[in-house]
Amino acid sequence: MSQADKPLAATPPMGWNSWNTFGEKVDARVVCETADAIVRTGMKDLGYEYVVIDDCWSDKRGRDSNGDLVPDPERFPDGIRAVADHVHSLGLKFGIYSDAAHLTCAKWPGSYEHEEQDAALFASWGVDFLKYDYCHAPSDQASAIDRYARMGQALRECGREILFSLCEWGGRAPWLWGRRVGGQMWRCTGDVVDAWYETDLTWGGLTINAAIDHAAYIADYTGPGGWNDFDMLVVGIRGRGHTGKGNCTDTDYRTQMSMWCLFASPLMAGCDLRTMDEATAETMMNPEVLAVDQDPLGKAAKRVAQRGPLEVWQRPLSDGSFAVGLLNRGEEAAEIELRWHHLGLLDSEPALVRDLWRRQDVGEFREKAAATVRPHETVLWRVTLRP
Ligand code: GLA
């Protein structure tokens, strides 16, 4: 199938979003240079595709005399169309942000009651992706369904294919109705912060470790065309963003990547890709790990065993093999065992275990296989039955 015939979000969308690092300081230069970096680093060849400007891109003072949103004249002096054109010239796709109320989360103008007008404006700029937030909107589920359906319909009718990314943080169970309102992905949690340990998250943010629990009970609702979204990656931010204490190690970042791939989550990088260090590139650019996320079967992992902080997650893949995560959420190294019945296999069946981070075969086993897993580490395996 050529790229052009590919249905929208057949596999979890991948790309970059400005929020985690740049917040309200996002500007045309950052976005264009990031798009350049996606090509230069080889991320594009690995599937990172959408370059998304989050909140704060418009003129905070409000709409123009036609009622149109206006790009911030200082940070986007040549308008949004020019930025979209640059992104498209590199073979990438371009995304933007709004909110289902009169104000966005950061209190810039939102799109409620301007859905058709804004969808038409976005289409005229060449927008391919809309993240649609839910700050300042009524808290009940019926209102959320109604407000997302309004924008979903406007996007369907705007004359351009625009991926619709819902962001109401999971409180109204969007996995039950996201597809119905035209969504291709829906956030399932609050904002994941650049932290493994954090106590002061009263505003609704959560750590990588806390986000993992949300995935345990909604795996059945994700799949081709409509994905559970566990929020942008904090991989590589190293405290340079504006949320979280920046106390993550590379092991923590790798666990976010491993688990997000097991969850079949969209993978939106959030660090400054222009200055990405080597460890960050290795975490975000391992083709065997990304292949788990992008597996065409689109089934998310389930937790199949748990003993204190030690967990086993497994995800069936399209070729009949399994992706397995051995996750140690605790503070001491420990052995974690995968038993064949966790995969629905008989003990007598021989299977090959491959370590995806190391890109090495571990060996052939029957009945079970085990690994020593460091604190916060996820060992990511692919287990393939021998014929
Ligand atoms: C909310 C969203 C974030 C980001 C900000 C922007 O918190 O969950 O992902 O879009 O708003 O203000």
Side-chain angles (χ1 to χ4, degrees), residues 19 54-56 97 104-106 131 133 135 167 169 187 190-191 203 231-232:
W19 183 253
D54 206 277
D55 205 347
C56 313
Y97 164 102
T104 68
C105 290
K131 173 173 169 181
D133 221 331
C135 284
C167 182
W169 322 291
R187 279 274 295 277
D191 295 6
W203 52 277
D231 200 10
M232 284 94 73

Side-chain angles (χ1 to χ4, degrees), residues 117-178:
Q117 182 170 8
D118 290 356
L121 185 68
F122 298 154
S124 77
W125 287 343
V127 166
D128 306 299
F129 178 115
L130 176 66
K131 173 173 169 181
Y132 206 45
D133 221 331
Y134 201 67
C135 284
H136 314 293
S139 63
D140 63 292
Q141 187 186 50
S143 298
I145 294 174
D146 176 58
R147 290 190 180 209
Y148 278 103
R150 286 172 70 123
M151 184 49 100
Q153 184 173 351
L155 292 176
R156 251 191 325 277
E157 292 169 358
C158 77
R160 185 175 172 91
E161 187 173 71
I162 299 183
L163 191 156
F164 192 25
S165 164
L166 280 47
C167 182
E168 62 71 73
W169 322 291
R172 285 147 287 258
W175 44 87
L176 298 179
W177 48 266

Side-chain angles (χ1 to χ4, degrees), residues 78-333:
D78 302 321
I80 298 294
R81 170 95 227 184
V83 178
D85 285 348
H86 179 76
V87 171
H88 289 148
S89 74
L90 300 170
L92 297 169
K93 291 187 170 159
F94 175 72
I96 208 161
Y97 164 102
S98 192
D99 189 293
H102 292 298
L103 290 175
T104 68
C105 290
K107 303 211 168 87
W108 262 250
S111 288
Y112 184 55
E113 293 179 316
H114 294 272
E115 291 86 353
E116 278 175 37
Q117 182 170 8
D118 290 356
L121 185 68
F122 298 154
S124 77
W125 287 343
V127 166
D128 306 299
F129 178 115
L130 176 66
K131 173 173 169 181
Y132 206 45
D133 221 331
Y134 201 67
C135 284
H136 314 293
S139 63
D140 63 292
Q141 187 186 50
S143 298
I145 294 174
D146 176 58
R147 290 190 180 209
Y148 278 103
R150 286 172 70 123
M151 184 49 100
Q153 184 173 351
L155 292 176
R156 251 191 325 277
E157 292 169 358
C158 77
R160 185 175 172 91
E161 187 173 71
I162 299 183
L163 191 156
F164 192 25
S165 164
L166 280 47
C167 182
E168 62 71 73
W169 322 291
R172 285 147 287 258
W175 44 87
L176 298 179
W177 48 266
R179 287 172 191 266
R180 187 155 32 106
V181 299
Q184 281 80 32
M185 55 194 263
W186 38 82
R187 279 274 295 277
C188 299
T189 68
D191 295 6
V192 173
V193 299
D194 183 23
W196 184 274
Y197 306 105
E198 180 128 29
T199 47
D200 178 25
L201 286 172
T202 41
W203 52 277
L206 73 174
T207 63
I208 297 172
N209 192 22
I212 289 170
D213 285 315
H214 288 266
Y217 62 99
I218 52 176
D220 287 335
Y221 299 98
T222 202
W227 303 98
N228 289 339
D229 172 10
F230 289 89
D231 200 10
M232 284 94 73
L233 298 170
V234 293
V235 176
I237 295 181
R238 302 196 193 286
R240 290 188 292 257
H242 53 93
T243 61
K245 295 199 165 64
N247 57 23
C248 290
T249 63
D250 281 315
T251 303
D252 300 339
Y253 286 146
R254 228 165 236 217
T255 275
Q256 186 185 34
M257 195 69 187
S258 303
M259 297 310 294
W260 269 226
C261 289
L262 285 164
F263 301 159
S265 178
L267 298 176
M268 304 299 285
C271 67
D272 188 344
L273 299 179
R274 302 170 305 174
T275 55
M276 173 170 66
D277 55 59
E278 212 171 302
T280 300
E282 276 173 25
T283 300
M284 288 204 295
M285 294 177 60
N286 178 318
E288 297 192 28
V289 172
L290 294 173
V292 172
D293 184 69
Q294 295 292 303
D295 183 78
L297 190 61
K299 277 209 181 301
K302 291 188 172 163
R303 186 156 54 197
V304 288
Q306 187 171 21
R307 187 162 49 85
L310 311 178
E311 302 184 357
V312 180
W313 292 70
Q314 70 99 333
R315 163 174 184 183
L317 300 173
S318 55
D319 66 354
S321 68
F322 298 88
V324 171
L326 307 177
L327 167 64
N328 180 355
R329 300 168 78 170
E331 301 304 324
E332 281 164 35

Side-chain angles (χ1 to χ4, degrees), residues 310-357:
L310 311 178
E311 302 184 357
V312 180
W313 292 70
Q314 70 99 333
R315 163 174 184 183
L317 300 173
S318 55
D319 66 354
S321 68
F322 298 88
V324 171
L326 307 177
L327 167 64
N328 180 355
R329 300 168 78 170
E331 301 304 324
E332 281 164 35
E335 189 177 84
I336 304 183
E337 192 175 76
L338 168 74
R339 303 198 59 99
W340 267 209
H341 66 79
H342 294 146
L343 306 176
L345 303 180
L346 294 175
D347 288 352
S348 57
E349 295 183 274
L352 177 73
V353 173
R354 182 171 174 81
D355 185 316
L356 299 184
W357 283 114

